[in-house]
Amino acid sequence: MSYFGLYSSQSFLPERKKPSSFSTFNIVTDDNGRYGVTDRDENVIVKCKYIVIEMTDNGFACCYNKRKGRYPWIDLKSGLRFRNCPVVIKYNGVEFCKKDEEMLMPRVRSRLIDKTFSLNMKTLEMQVGCGLSWRKRFIPWAEPDKVYEIVTEKEYGTRVLRDEHGGLFVQENPDEPLISVNNMSEADTYLLICEEKQQHAKFMDNKLVATRRLGHVSNENIIDLFPGCKTVEDEGEGIIHVIDCSGKELWVDMKTGMKHYCRPILYRRGFVELLKEGDMVFIRNIILEAGVVHRNWEIKADDKICTVRRKLYLKERPFDVFVIKRRSDDFSYFLVETNFLDGMNCTYNMKITNYPGESLKCTKVTTLERMRERGDIFWL
C-alpha cells in the first residue's frame, strides 16, 4: 500500500495544491490501483475500492469510480455520506455538517450516533450547560470528539451517562463536568446524594430570598430603605449601588426588589433578562419568577419562549405559566397544561408550537388522559 498524501494522483487533480504536513488524512492505494483513505495513525477510514478520490481541506472526500453515485461525499470525521459537499459550522468548539437549510450533523465518529441523530439550529440556540444535549445524547464542549448516552436524567438536573465503551459517568447538573463511577449502584448512590444536596440548596435559597427581598423599590423610597446611607448611585439598567451607614456595599435590583452583596452580572438569554450573583441566577422580566433563585442550567430561552425546568413562559403572555407535559427536543413543540386562560379558572391542555420562521401558535387540545378522566371514552 502506497501513500499519496492528502489528494489522489496528479492526473485526477492537477490544479490541487500539495497537502500540508499537518494533514489528518492521507489517500492511499492498493496493489490494484484503487484508492482509499487512512488517518495519521494508518487506521482505514475509506477502503481502497475507488478509482477517484478528491479531498477537501476540511476533511471531506468525494469518492467514485466511473461516475459519481447518489451520495459520493464522505465526511472523514464522522463517516457519514452526503449527496453534496456539506457546509461546516462550528459552535462552542463542536463541528457540524450542514446537510440542508435546517438539519445539522455532529462531526463525531461514534457508534452511539448515526445519520438519524440530526438536529437543527433551534436545538443549538436553546443549549445551556457544559455541552450539547439532544435525543438522549451528550457531547461536552470540552471534549468535542466524544459522545455519551444519557441513561437517566432527573428533574433536578442530575444525570447518569454511558460512553460507547460502556463506562459509566454521573453529572450533578448540566453545568458540571462528568465524574466517572464504577457501576450503576455507585451512580444511584450519587443521585441520592445530589438530590439531598439540591433539597438543602433549595431550603437555603428560600431563606436567603426572605432576607434579601425588599418589596417595591423606587427612586423615591430607596433612601427610606437604607436610612443614613452614605452613597446611592444609579448604575443603569435598574441597578442601584448603595453604601449603607456602616460602609457596607450592596446592589439593589429595582425590577425584582432584591438586594445583592456583590456586583451582579446582567445578561440576556433570548427575551429573558437575567441577573447573576455567584452561581445564583435571577429572572428579572417574568413576574412569577422574580425574586426566585435559579441555576444557569434551569433557564432556556429564545426571543419567544422561556422554560424553567417544567414551566413554560411566553413573551406575549408574561403573566401566565404553563406546565410542560411533553415537548420536542428542539423546543418547537409543547403539550402543556394551564389553569388560567381567557379569564376562566379551569384546567386546559394546550398545544404550543414555536417553529422557525413562524409566529407562536397556541391551540387548545383534549388529551386521551383528560377524556378518560371526564368519562368521554372507556375503551382506551
Side-chain angles (χ1 to χ4, degrees):
M1 182 179 286
S2 59
Y3 290 82
F4 284 80
L6 182 61
Y7 303 106
S8 59
S9 62
Q10 293 183 359
S11 60
F12 291 126
L13 300 167
E15 76 284 4
R16 299 286 195 184
K17 62 183 180 182
K18 292 183 179 181
S20 164
S21 60
F22 297 100
S23 299
T24 305
F25 303 101
N26 293 290
I27 292 179
V28 298
T29 185
D30 62 6
D31 296 336
N32 298 320
R34 298 279 178 156
Y35 294 102
V37 180
T38 64
D39 63 15
R40 188 178 296 172
D41 298 323
E42 300 187 10
N43 298 310
V44 176
I45 304 300
V46 178
K47 293 181 179 180
C48 292
K49 60 179 183 179
Y50 296 100
I51 295 176
V52 181
I53 291 183
E54 303 176 29
M55 198 181 299
T56 66
D57 292 330
N58 56 357
F60 294 96
C62 186
C63 308
Y64 58 97
N65 292 318
K66 292 184 179 180
R67 61 179 183 271
K68 296 179 181 179
R70 292 184 63 192
Y71 297 94
W73 286 96
I74 300 176
D75 179 9
L76 299 176
K77 291 187 176 182
S78 68
L80 298 176
R81 287 182 171 270
F82 301 90
R83 187 184 299 273
N84 301 305
C85 186
V87 175
V88 176
I89 68 169
K90 207 166 188 177
Y91 187 90
N92 280 358
V94 178
E95 286 189 350
F96 298 88
C97 298
K98 196 169 184 182
K99 293 172 59 178
D100 49 41
E101 292 300 318
E102 295 293 335
M103 304 313 294
L104 306 171
M105 284 299 304
R107 299 191 72 190
V108 183
R109 188 179 291 269
S110 171
R111 67 176 184 84
L112 294 176
I113 59 173
D114 56 27
K115 63 181 180 181
T116 64
F117 281 82
S118 58
L119 60 149
N120 57 26
M121 286 301 300
K122 176 61 68 176
T123 306
L124 285 185
E125 291 171 8
M126 298 294 285
Q127 293 297 315
V128 295
C130 66
L132 167 65
S133 300
W134 92 110
R135 297 187 59 187
K136 296 295 183 181
R137 298 296 184 265
F138 177 71
I139 299 178
W141 304 129
E143 299 176 297
D145 58 339
K146 292 186 178 180
V147 181
Y148 298 86
E149 177 188 5
I150 300 174
V151 180
T152 304
E153 184 168 17
K154 300 295 185 180
E155 185 181 351
Y156 48 86
T158 305
R159 303 196 282 198
V160 179
L161 304 97
R162 181 186 292 117
D163 66 14
E164 60 181 324
H165 306 294
L168 288 174
F169 299 82
V170 291
Q171 189 178 26
E172 183 175 341
N173 61 63
D175 286 337
E176 300 297 327
L178 304 186
I179 300 173
S180 177
V181 294
N182 296 317
N183 49 56
M184 200 64 192
S185 176
E186 188 175 330
D188 290 338
T189 300
Y190 186 86
L191 293 182
L192 291 175
I193 293 173
C194 288
E195 183 175 7
E196 292 175 359
K197 182 179 177 181
Q198 288 270 356
Q199 291 174 348
H200 177 70
K202 198 67 178 176
F203 174 76
M204 296 304 296
D205 288 345
N206 291 335
K207 288 185 64 176
L208 178 144
V209 167
T211 60
R212 292 193 178 196
R213 185 177 284 118
L214 297 173
H216 175 68
V217 181
S218 65
N219 291 320
E220 290 73 26
N221 71 348
I222 187 72
I223 299 295
D224 299 330
L225 293 172
F226 302 96
C229 60
K230 298 179 179 179
T231 302
V232 175
E233 180 182 0
D234 189 348
E235 296 192 350
E237 300 288 346
I239 303 297
I240 304 295
H241 178 212
V242 177
I243 301 178
D244 64 18
C245 57
S246 63
K248 188 175 183 178
E249 283 189 300
L250 53 91
W251 287 261
V252 177
D253 180 7
M254 297 181 68
K255 285 194 174 183
T256 62
M258 296 289 294
K259 58 183 177 182
H260 303 270
Y261 291 107
C262 65
R263 187 188 301 273
I265 299 170
L266 177 63
Y267 63 104
R268 283 183 174 271
R269 183 171 294 163
F271 79 93
V272 182
E273 295 179 22
L274 301 171
L275 207 60
K276 184 175 182 180
E277 178 188 347
D279 67 341
M280 299 183 297
V281 179
F282 297 87
I283 298 175
R284 307 183 74 204
N285 58 335
I286 297 178
I287 189 70
L288 297 177
E289 297 292 335
V292 179
V293 180
H294 297 291
R295 299 297 182 265
N296 173 70
W297 64 269
E298 297 177 307
I299 306 165
K300 304 177 179 70
D302 63 12
D303 58 346
K304 299 176 186 175
I305 67 167
C306 172
T307 65
V308 183
R309 294 202 182 187
R310 292 185 62 244
K311 292 180 288 185
L312 171 67
Y313 296 96
L314 310 181
K315 181 180 180 180
E316 62 186 39
R317 301 181 70 97
F319 301 103
D320 291 342
V321 58
F322 303 88
V323 178
I324 301 171
K325 300 178 72 174
R326 289 194 292 273
R327 68 166 177 83
S328 63
D329 195 61
D330 62 354
F331 293 81
S332 65
Y333 176 93
F334 296 87
L335 180 62
V336 300
E337 186 177 86
T338 182
N339 61 358
F340 186 80
L341 184 67
D342 298 330
M344 298 178 65
N345 190 14
C346 56
T347 300
Y348 281 91
N349 289 294
M350 293 188 65
K351 178 181 72 174
I352 298 176
T353 56
N354 182 34
Y355 296 129
E358 297 183 10
S359 59
L360 208 64
K361 296 178 182 178
C362 303
T363 308
K364 190 173 73 171
V365 298
T366 301
T367 63
L368 291 177
E369 295 88 347
R370 182 63 174 159
M371 292 173 73
R372 278 195 294 266
E373 289 174 4
R374 295 188 312 195
D376 295 343
I377 54 176
F378 304 96
W379 59 89
L380 293 176

